[in-house]
Amino acid sequence: NSASERSLVNQHLCRKQCFSVSCGKLGEKRVKMVLCQSMLRISRLASCPGRALLTKGNSPAIISSATRCFSLQTVCQTERRYTDKHEWVSVEGTIGTVGISHYAQEALGDVVYAQLPDVGTNLSQKDECGALESVKAASELYSPVSGKVTEKNTAVEDTPSLINTSCYDKGWLFRLELSKPDEITKLMDEKQYEEFLKNSDH
């Protein structure tokens, strides 16, 4: 019947067109198809968290560059910064995590007691906010940045030796929500802190 014939003709035309495209006879259509597929992939990338917003005309190279920049920004944001009192702080979003450096815990010796600031305490930069005691010394804690304490590490209060065994990980001391984020830029980065340890009288 006519409907069946039309269907066969359409299938034949479709196969012919696909064959022509695959053989390169319709180069322009091939390019258009590739571009469409690329733009579809780019659109999917744009919908993922942390991807750069797209505007018409952006290329995959621009997306890749933007993603690298985003990753670099994240790395920089979580980098530890140090004070001349040997506290460190790393920032994720608006929350700073505070601890003491490897040099500080080594100088203290085996820590046996940790007094940490309570949740809800408002601190200004350089405020005294707690104390650490070891078998041979005691040391005050100073806040490296301004903010409101959101959490303290109760595991350290229960097991102060965590400060010695894992000062940058399990031995962190407290967290606070930053009220003056720009203060971070005035602290020493890793390289500057290493130079400080080499050249300063501690």
Side-chain angles (χ1 to χ4, degrees):
N1 60 40
S2 59
S4 178
E5 289 174 354
R6 283 198 299 274
S7 176
L8 288 172
V9 170
N10 287 339
Q11 290 177 21
H12 173 73
L13 290 174
C14 180
R15 284 196 298 271
K16 183 177 179 181
Q17 185 178 29
C18 291
F19 177 79
S20 299
V21 171
S22 65
C23 290
K25 292 181 180 179
L26 297 177
E28 185 177 352
K29 286 190 177 182
R30 175 189 286 272
V31 171
K32 286 181 179 179
M33 288 174 67
V34 171
L35 286 175
C36 286
Q37 290 170 354
S38 296
M39 290 308 296
L40 179 60
R41 285 195 294 269
I42 292 170
S43 296
R44 287 172 180 169
L45 284 174
S47 66
C48 295
R51 301 291 186 182
L53 293 176
L54 292 177
T55 57
K56 187 175 181 181
N58 278 2
S59 68
I62 292 175
I63 300 304
S64 177
S65 176
T67 303
R68 284 197 299 272
C69 288
F70 178 82
S71 299
L72 179 61
Q73 184 181 23
T74 302
V75 169
C76 290
Q77 202 174 25
T78 56
E79 177 188 27
R80 283 192 297 270
R81 295 279 180 152
Y82 299 84
T83 71
D84 58 3
K85 299 291 187 182
H86 308 290
E87 285 89 11
W88 59 263
V89 58
S90 64
V91 178
E92 293 188 31
T94 61
I95 302 299
T97 300
V98 176
I100 65 167
S101 70
H102 177 75
Y103 170 86
Q105 68 80 22
E106 200 170 54
L108 272 173
D110 295 336
V111 180
V112 295
Y113 175 74
Q115 178 189 348
L116 306 178
D118 292 326
V119 173
T121 303
N122 287 302
L123 298 172
S124 296
Q125 189 177 44
K126 299 183 180 181
D127 274 358
E128 185 176 331
C129 58
L132 301 176
E133 294 181 10
S134 71
V135 293
K136 64 179 183 179
S139 177
E140 293 78 16
L141 285 176
Y142 299 92
S143 182
V145 288
S146 301
K148 185 176 183 178
V149 177
T150 59
E151 186 180 358
K152 65 177 179 177
N153 191 351
T154 55
V156 160
E157 290 183 321
D158 294 336
T159 312
S161 60
L162 286 172
I163 297 170
N164 298 113
T165 59
S166 186
C167 64
Y168 295 125
D169 186 15
K170 295 179 181 179
W172 62 274
L173 303 180
F174 64 94
R175 293 189 173 116
L176 71 174
E177 185 172 7
L178 305 184
S179 58
K180 297 179 180 179
D182 289 346
E183 290 174 342
I184 294 292
T185 61
K186 299 175 184 178
L187 302 178
M188 292 178 279
D189 62 22
E190 194 88 34
K191 186 175 180 180
Q192 290 169 329
Y193 182 63
E194 288 176 3
E195 289 299 315
F196 170 75
L197 292 179
K198 290 177 184 177
N199 302 322
S200 300
D201 182 10
H202 316 304

